[in-house]
Amino acid sequence: MPHAATLKVLIVDDQYSVRQMIRLALEEIGVRNILESENGREAFDKAVSQPLNLIISDFNMPEMDGLSLLRAVRSHQTVRKLPFILLTGRGDRDLVVKAAQSGVNNYVVKPFTNAVLREKIEQVMGKLS
Amino acid sequence: MSKVDELRNTFFDECSELLQEIEVGLTDIRDGRGTDDTVHAVFRAAHSVKGGAGIFGFETLVEFAHVFETVLDMLRHGTLAASDEVLSVLLTASDILSDLVTMARSGNPVPPGYDSECRAALNRLIGADGDADAASDGAGAEAAGDFDGIDFVPVLADGFGEDEASGDRVFNIAFRPRAEMLKKANEPLYILRELAKLGSLQLTADTSALLPLSELQPDHAYINWTGTLRTAHGRKEIEEVFEFVVDDCDLEIVEELPEGAAAAPIADPVLPDSGVAIVDDAPAEAPANPAADGSSPALAEMPVRTNAAEPAKDGAGAAVKPAAMTTRVDLEKIDRVVNMVGELVIAQAMLGQVVRELPEDMTARLQHCLEEVIHHTRELKDSVMSMRAQQVRTVFQRMPRLVRELSAKTSKNVRLEMSGEATEIDKTIIERLSDPLTHIIRNSVDHGIELPQERRAAGKNEQGVIHLSAGHRGGRIVIEISDDGAGVNGERVLKKAKERGLIDANAVLTEDEINNLIFLPGFSTAETISDISGRGVGMDVVRRNIMDIGGRITLKSEPGRGTTIQLSLPLTLAVMDGMVVEIGQDNYVVPISAIVECMRPTRADVRNLLGTAGTLQLRGAIVPLVHLGDLFGIRGAIRDVVDGVVIIVEAGEGTRLGLVVDELRGHQQVVIKSIEENYGVVPGIAGATILGNGRVAFILDVDRLSGVAGTEMDGVAVPRAEPAVMARAS
Amino acid sequence: MGQATDEIARTIVLPAVLDQAAAEGFLGMLLRAVETDDAVRLDGSAVDTITTPCIQVILAAAKADSRLTIVNPSDAMRSAFDDLALPLPVASGGETDIEPVAVMEQADEAVSTAVDTENMAKRILTIDDSKTMRDMLMLTLSDAGYEVLQAVDGQDGIDVLGDKRVDVVITDINMPKMDGYEVIRNLRANPVHKTTPILVLTTESDTEKKNLARNAGATGWMVKPFDPDQLVATIRKVSP
């Protein structure tokens, strides 16, 4: 039963306002340790250079999209098991299928409520205290 | 404002940039300047708008953006060709999207069917079967949250969610301090004690490297440790313990995973093309040499690498903007700083005053220090001002759409070219530039550019061009709007002006003077007040707006060839260079930027005319004098012009005035303080300031002085002296 | 090894503080002790603080002369060895009744002047040209029970400190007259401050500055703006 406050989460999205909304949602849940990245490449660098507990990433980003990031993470020895949640928009059904094939832990459809986000995280990490 | 509201506003700010990208991108594609990256960038921008709208719950926006994005997607995949009609639809869509965003921002409901025409056009592009997709995907038929029909099961992460007992993790740690570590006062005992606090630690020390006592060096490290830590914490906490020493020791932290899963190396990671570069830069050792115990030596060097984003890698992704380091700051904060700088300027002037009054021999060093201070204050002022400076782009970027719409409405073919968008102006000025600029361009399209057939008949290109440019010139910002239209019809203007009694029926005017008549209030040559230029908003209002921000507007025209309107604006509103003058017992400040020349006239130079303050003969031109002492009713001012000083100023519209003052008192930077807030508008006075001597001085509003002084002689606009002849006072 | 009652033994009473600063003097002393023919006994009853450098010396000495033993190790001494998983060369069985034949002068200057233990509060020197920052540090640190010395820039810091020992130095990096890196280099070159923990104040994203500071000899860093609890925790990390 992980303590929300001990989790270190990386948010990946190229839009500042979206990142902040997700941050707000995470803080509501009790997460304190939140990192942000604007694109997949930077996110990957962060993921392999420091211990993370979870990545929440959008799909649509310049340089390296969320799906590619997922695949890169899953192929890298040190972080291949890093929990990964993908943010999708309505109409991204195919994307979810592909992500599932690449080993995504869970997905969340935008727009989402804090409750939904929490549930999705708990489906992956177990009940948060 | 709640956090969410703030973020929503931020989102709208982001949208402005995104919408701009879309518009510029589509325009480039239409004009043949687009590349593959342009299409991708436009698609992504639209997708971002949709995404953000989704997060903040703007349904209509999401749906429209979705359809828009679908077409853009087809464009970038090549399933749709970038023909003129397609681009036309897309550009319109871009406008509609922009409107929807504006409506969302202001909270106004979208008029029903506002976007339906455009949406239908987009759907047509998507095609018959595409229709179904677009409709169903966008149309919120899905349950909030999940996708139906996909067999998705969330994957539980390792080490999570199971039970408390085996919530503990096991880490094998190797710690080999190097000499550097001890030299920096990092003590292994403290570190290992910290580590032990995380759980239960089994530690083994290896002293085999210990040198004989006679060779021992106290600040070297001879002992290393290996251990196993059972802890509920994660790697992060462990690494934090070693945070300071990571570079000065060999450190390994390897988690013992259940079922010994740690060891197996993954053969050649399969990465999408864009990912290849990363593996080279990120811990290169890890995939390449899987150590037998699955340890990750790369970790020891971790903090130094990979943290900085690497803009150099951008070679491939040309659509990526260079990473300028920016931050968001409340405008209020900047304004406060601007005020503080203003106060600093005043204080410094006072200091200068005091220093000047000290005996010479004492002040050499003091003077020198003061100069340093002045220099730094000036730099500070410039820096602070530039913080508030924005690129003119923000105002300019609305113009292309304006021109597009106007051209359509008037059935004219007009192209807008812009240059110098990166020119920076103080934010306060930029905001007040929008209306005048809009009106000038409207005028240009409405009255300036001719109908295509007229242009053809005149031997011109059917497409008219309006050129909008901005640049720095002589300490001011110059904005030019020029068109290659029909120019001002001098005869008609003159006729109208005489008809309306704006000028004397017998007046003889130069071409330039005629052109500038359109700035007079109550003037409009339009036969009908078209809905474009609007009712009652004439060029006089535009000129008033420009003058209100301390600017000047001039117009030049060549019949048949075109018209150029030039706006000259000050760099900033708050601090300016002024010439302090004395009139009677009082001090006034004349803006340096308006001063052409200062001189002490002789009797021969002055002509007296009944009813006025007289005129000055200056190298063949006549300059009307304004006796400020009389104008402001100042007692004790000198009576006779030849006893005082005349300051020749440029008072707007190219007219010149000679201001009569008692004496010049020196040049200094002054902070403009508004008197309107406390007192009200005083004609002829632009504001007040505090001088170095602590006294208050009024700042003259040179542009309006001519009006106040009533220097129009016999109804004729005051003639302008030739600029080439006059030397500028510095 | 059995102890014949007439075997000459030198007993050295260990001082209270055996930190890195004391290490050199301690090394010299033990070298001399071990070179004599006598068995060496270290009385550790007074030891309050002992860290790796001196522990290394003791272990090396024990290797050089296997007759070296520690008698009456204080709790602090025991736990230090324990926590480092190192064997404490204790005398096996109660030798405590053997009278010291010679009590070696424990005074090697460096060793005895280690710290005046009369003043129990830890002393911290803060160097920052920003008054606001100095005030914040003063507030946080004095609340936490530290005695705080202040300096307004690098040179001032060096001057204020002189040769007085402090437990921790906290310094900003960007300062007029002498920047943080200079301060660190200066302190490290001074034998009195060579081994004093030095923390630099840095901004989060400045990896480069952290590295430069470390290269100059900084012990660690504190990120600005700092959380008071974090600050105290970090100080405790380098100077418990």
Side-chain angles (χ1 to χ4, degrees):
Chain A
M1 237 182 33
H3 201 56
T6 65
L7 294 181
K8 194 164 182 179
V9 182
L10 172 65
I11 302 175
V12 190
D13 192 306
D14 63 336
Q15 266 183 294
Y16 173 81
S17 59
V18 173
R19 287 200 304 277
Q20 300 318 304
M21 285 297 281
I22 301 176
R23 175 181 277 269
L24 269 186
L26 287 174
E27 283 170 358
E28 287 275 306
I29 301 176
V31 181
R32 295 278 160 260
N33 238 299
I34 303 171
L35 300 181
E36 296 177 35
S37 269
E38 281 190 318
N39 64 57
R41 189 164 297 188
E42 195 191 286
F44 183 77
D45 288 344
K46 285 201 173 135
V48 298
S49 67
Q50 65 199 290
L52 297 174
N53 296 118
L54 174 65
I55 295 184
I56 299 181
S57 172
D58 192 18
F59 165 67
N60 178 51
M61 294 176 294
E63 282 200 68
M64 192 195 217
D65 64 37
L67 194 56
S68 308
L69 172 61
L70 170 64
R71 290 175 177 155
V73 167
R74 286 285 173 264
S75 320
H76 193 283
Q77 183 185 5
T78 344
V79 293
R80 65 195 172 87
K81 294 201 163 236
L82 188 50
F84 197 112
I85 296 181
L86 190 65
L87 293 176
T88 69
R90 300 191 322 206
D92 285 340
R93 177 177 305 191
D94 289 336
L95 171 64
V96 174
V97 173
K98 279 191 228 160
Q101 288 166 351
S102 300
V104 82
N105 292 75
N106 213 343
Y107 72 94
V108 184
V109 183
K110 296 189 275 195
F112 52 83
T113 61
N114 289 356
V116 165
L117 182 63
R118 185 194 187 117
E119 197 191 309
K120 295 283 180 174
I121 294 180
E122 285 183 338
Q123 283 171 351
V124 174
M125 321 274 282
K127 258 230 144 329
L128 295 174
S129 57
Chain B
M1 196 187 298
S2 78
K3 226 19 199 333
V4 178
D5 288 333
E6 269 178 46
L7 287 179
R8 197 176 291 124
N9 281 344
T10 310
F11 165 63
F12 285 124
D13 287 337
E14 286 172 0
C15 276
S16 307
E17 291 171 25
L18 293 168
L19 291 167
Q20 185 61 9
E21 261 183 67
I22 295 176
E23 179 172 359
V24 171
L26 288 175
T27 312
D28 281 348
I29 297 174
R30 182 194 64 185
D31 294 340
R33 287 190 297 266
T35 65
D36 279 343
D37 289 320
T38 320
V39 189
H40 284 298
V42 174
F43 169 80
R44 262 208 318 280
H47 186 90
S48 292
V49 172
K50 179 182 109 170
I55 290 264
F56 292 99
F58 296 114
E59 290 308 309
T60 325
L61 191 51
V62 172
E63 286 171 20
F64 184 83
H66 182 77
V67 184
F68 190 18
E69 171 200 291
T70 311
V71 177
L72 289 170
D73 202 17
M74 290 170 65
L75 197 66
R76 73 175 182 153
H77 281 131
T79 23
L80 187 65
S83 70
D84 278 341
E85 300 130 56
V86 168
L87 261 316
S88 177
V89 173
L90 287 175
L91 273 165
T92 312
S94 154
D95 291 339
I96 300 277
L97 187 68
S98 177
D99 289 341
L100 289 176
V101 169
T102 310
M103 286 182 224
R105 181 174 213 156
S106 56
N108 292 339
V110 181
Y114 187 84
D115 58 339
S116 32
E117 194 187 313
C118 188
R119 244 215 266 194
L122 289 170
N123 278 326
R124 273 197 294 280
L125 289 178
I126 298 176
D129 42 275
D131 244 334
D133 277 359
S136 66
D137 275 345
E142 296 166 9
D146 292 349
F147 291 111
D148 306 320
I150 305 185
D151 209 357
F152 186 89
V153 177
V155 177
L156 205 56
D158 279 357
F160 285 107
E162 290 305 280
D163 26 281
E164 316 71 35
S166 60
D168 276 353
R169 299 160 71 170
V170 177
F171 293 89
N172 293 323
I173 300 171
F175 175 43
R176 270 180 298 268
R178 286 184 238 136
E180 292 76 35
M181 199 180 106
L182 292 184
K183 291 195 172 123
K184 297 175 192 174
N186 295 105
E187 170 53 49
L189 176 60
Y190 302 158
I191 293 173
L192 290 172
R193 277 182 175 159
E194 281 284 320
L195 185 63
K197 284 187 194 161
L198 293 180
S200 88
L201 178 66
Q202 307 270 73
L203 203 58
T204 316
D206 170 17
T207 56
S208 55
L210 210 51
L211 290 183
L213 194 58
S214 50
E215 292 168 41
L216 200 74
Q217 288 188 286
D219 58 359
H220 277 218
Y222 301 99
I223 311 179
N224 59 69
W225 291 266
T226 47
T228 307
L229 176 72
R230 178 176 287 276
T231 173
H233 292 276
R235 175 184 294 271
K236 166 194 134 192
E237 281 83 355
I238 299 179
E239 283 163 354
E240 244 173 43
V241 170
F242 295 97
E243 186 187 9
F244 292 157
V245 301
V246 131
D247 291 332
D248 295 327
C249 69
D250 296 318
L251 179 65
E252 285 167 25
I253 305 174
V254 181
E255 181 167 6
E256 265 182 29
L257 297 172
E259 304 137 28
I266 301 197
D268 270 315
V270 177
L271 293 167
D273 291 346
S274 59
V276 172
I278 295 172
V279 182
D280 293 337
D281 291 350
E285 300 91 275
N289 54 348
D293 59 350
S295 65
S296 321
L299 279 172
E301 303 150 59
M302 138 195 86
V304 190
R305 302 161 149 278
T306 67
N307 247 341
E310 298 181 31
K313 282 195 276 192
D314 274 357
V320 175
K321 290 199 292 269
M325 296 282 284
T326 56
T327 183
R328 289 172 197 267
V329 181
D330 272 337
L331 265 164
E332 260 183 60
K333 291 185 184 170
I334 297 190
D335 284 341
R336 269 207 296 277
V337 175
V338 168
N339 276 342
M340 283 189 250
V341 171
E343 299 295 334
L344 185 59
V345 168
I346 294 177
Q348 167 202 291
M350 290 206 200
L351 188 59
Q353 187 77 17
V354 170
V355 169
R356 269 192 287 278
E357 286 163 15
L358 293 173
E360 276 271 354
D361 48 338
M362 294 178 65
T363 61
R365 270 187 72 202
L366 197 48
Q367 273 288 16
H368 181 70
C369 291
L370 187 59
E371 310 239 318
E372 280 283 306
V373 173
I374 292 179
H375 171 69
H376 287 305
T377 309
R378 187 161 273 134
E379 285 195 355
L380 177 62
K381 185 206 80 170
D382 288 341
S383 292
V384 168
M385 287 316 181
S386 77
M387 271 197 269
R388 254 195 357 195
Q390 253 187 3
Q391 292 189 348
V392 185
R393 192 191 304 275
T394 51
V395 178
F396 279 18
Q397 70 194 21
R398 297 178 213 153
M399 299 304 142
R401 179 175 174 181
L402 178 66
V403 170
R404 262 205 310 278
E405 285 174 357
L406 289 174
S407 313
K409 272 204 193 125
T410 56
S411 307
K412 294 185 185 172
N413 188 347
V414 187
R415 182 175 89 239
L416 178 69
E417 282 178 356
M418 304 194 290
S419 60
E421 298 103 302
T423 308
E424 292 192 340
I425 309 187
D426 194 81
K427 189 174 195 314
T428 48
I429 298 185
I430 280 200
E431 285 159 4
R432 297 167 71 171
L433 201 52
S434 181
D435 281 347
L437 209 55
T438 304
H439 193 79
I440 293 174
I441 291 193
R442 279 202 167 134
N443 253 7
S444 208
V445 177
D446 200 20
H447 301 305
I449 307 282
E450 316 92 322
L451 289 164
Q453 48 270 46
E454 289 171 0
R455 290 181 67 90
R456 218 180 319 133
K460 292 188 190 174
N461 200 314
E462 271 194 23
Q463 185 181 65
V465 180
I466 299 180
H467 197 99
L468 177 61
S469 72
H472 286 274
R473 225 180 285 176
R476 288 173 75 86
I477 305 270
V478 175
I479 296 183
E480 266 190 20
I481 308 100
S482 65
D483 64 56
D484 63 352
V488 174
N489 187 329
E491 273 179 37
R492 238 172 60 182
V493 167
L494 196 56
K495 188 156 154 259
K496 237 8 175 241
K498 288 182 178 172
E499 270 174 23
R500 298 191 184 186
L502 296 170
I503 55 170
D504 186 78
N506 298 321
V508 172
L509 271 51
T510 66
E511 199 174 290
D512 275 328
E513 285 156 0
I514 296 177
N515 289 336
N516 283 289
L517 285 175
I518 67 172
F519 288 116
L520 292 175
F523 194 96
S524 170
T525 57
E527 245 64 88
T528 57
I529 299 180
S530 62
D531 67 323
I532 291 184
S533 295
R535 196 169 276 279
V537 181
M539 286 304 276
D540 65 315
V541 176
V542 171
R543 193 182 67 147
R544 174 95 316 132
N545 286 349
I546 297 294
M547 280 171 59
D548 276 345
I549 53 180
R552 293 194 282 273
I553 181 169
T554 50
L555 181 150
K556 277 196 194 342
S557 176
E558 273 186 68
R561 302 284 297 271
T563 308
T564 299
I565 295 184
Q566 200 187 77
L567 308 175
S568 163
L569 305 168
L571 276 175
T572 171
L573 294 181
V575 179
M576 68 164 207
D577 284 308
M579 171 73 77
V580 183
V581 301
E582 202 177 87
I583 307 176
Q585 299 274 39
D586 298 334
N587 287 134
Y588 285 77
V589 177
V590 184
I592 293 271
S593 56
I595 299 182
V596 176
E597 179 174 347
C598 300
M599 41 119 43
R600 287 177 203 280
T602 63
R603 182 71 54 202
D605 299 321
V606 182
R607 283 293 124 86
N608 282 310
L609 283 178
L610 274 179
T612 70
T615 62
L616 193 67
Q617 288 273 67
L618 195 52
R619 294 185 284 271
I622 298 177
V623 179
L625 293 172
V626 177
H627 195 283
L628 291 174
D630 283 343
L631 188 61
F632 295 133
I634 305 168
R635 279 211 287 258
I638 55 134
R639 301 299 329 152
D640 200 342
V641 177
V642 298
D643 290 332
V645 178
V646 174
I647 303 180
I648 316 276
V649 296
E650 196 155 306
E653 310 139 52
T655 56
R656 301 222 166 159
L657 294 178
L659 305 178
V660 181
V661 303
D662 292 3
E663 198 45 81
L664 299 181
R665 277 277 160 259
H667 171 187
Q668 70 172 79
Q669 271 191 333
V670 295
V671 178
I672 306 172
K673 297 246 174 238
S674 166
I675 55 173
E676 278 175 31
E677 288 163 17
N678 301 318
Y679 194 72
V681 176
V682 178
I685 300 293
T689 186
I690 302 181
L691 296 179
N693 57 19
R695 299 181 57 201
V696 176
F698 286 119
I699 302 172
L700 296 178
D701 182 352
V702 168
D703 284 340
R704 306 249 188 124
L705 273 181
S706 54
V708 176
T711 52
E712 321 237 73
M713 296 184 299
D714 303 320
V716 178
V718 177
R720 180 189 53 193
E722 283 304 310
V725 178
M726 294 293 188
R728 288 212 154 248
S730 54
Chain C
M1 192 169 296
Q3 282 277 329
T5 45
D6 56 356
E7 189 171 63
I8 311 286
R10 325 176 67 100
T11 302
I12 301 172
V13 180
L14 298 177
V17 176
L18 284 169
D19 60 5
Q20 207 186 142
E24 291 236 14
F26 187 53
L27 172 59
M29 177 170 80
L30 270 193
L31 249 175
R32 288 193 292 281
V34 156
E35 274 163 14
T36 69
D37 226 2
D38 307 323
V40 179
R41 295 185 330 172
L42 304 175
D43 186 324
S45 49
V47 172
D48 191 57
T49 305
I50 182 168
T51 55
T52 307
C54 290
I55 292 180
Q56 283 177 159
V57 171
I58 292 178
L59 291 177
K63 246 193 185 168
D65 181 357
S66 53
R67 295 171 302 166
L68 183 143
T69 53
I70 299 179
V71 293
N72 303 327
S74 67
D75 287 337
M77 199 172 177
R78 266 193 204 282
S79 77
F81 273 81
D82 269 350
D83 293 341
L84 288 176
L86 292 169
L88 187 65
V90 208
S92 45
E95 319 299 334
T96 49
D97 49 332
I98 295 183
E99 287 305 304
V101 169
V103 177
M104 193 162 193
E105 340 75 57
Q106 36 185 181
D108 243 37
E109 310 303 320
V111 175
S112 61
T113 59
V115 133
D116 59 304
T117 41
E118 59 166 71
N119 184 358
M120 288 308 293
K122 289 230 176 187
R123 280 141 52 90
I124 303 188
L125 168 66
T126 62
I127 310 177
D128 199 311
D129 60 332
S130 152
K131 180 164 192 309
T132 321
M133 186 56 79
R134 284 201 302 276
D135 288 344
M136 283 191 348
L137 287 169
M138 170 65 91
L139 196 60
T140 309
L141 296 176
S142 46
D143 270 356
Y146 294 103
E147 185 188 316
V148 182
L149 303 174
Q150 286 184 328
V152 304
D153 61 54
Q155 187 59 56
D156 192 27
I158 305 289
D159 294 339
V160 160
L161 198 50
D163 282 344
K164 294 196 292 286
R165 280 256 178 75
V166 289
D167 295 286
V168 181
V169 174
I170 300 180
T171 175
D172 192 16
I173 294 184
N174 287 326
M175 296 182 292
K177 285 206 219 145
M178 193 194 278
D179 65 25
Y181 307 125
E182 270 298 306
V183 170
I184 299 170
R185 281 191 279 268
N186 203 302
L187 291 177
R188 289 284 178 242
N190 182 339
V192 174
H193 305 300
K194 205 159 78 132
T195 58
T196 308
I198 304 177
L199 296 174
V200 290
L201 292 169
T202 163
T203 52
E204 173 72 52
S205 49
D206 237 325
T207 332
E208 214 193 291
K209 287 215 167 88
K210 282 186 205 165
N211 288 337
L212 285 173
R214 283 285 294 168
N215 289 342
T219 310
W221 57 81
M222 193 64 230
V223 172
K224 294 194 280 198
F226 61 83
D227 172 73
D229 292 333
Q230 248 316 92
L231 176 63
V232 175
T234 307
I235 292 176
R236 293 220 175 98
K237 235 166 105 162
V238 298
S239 178

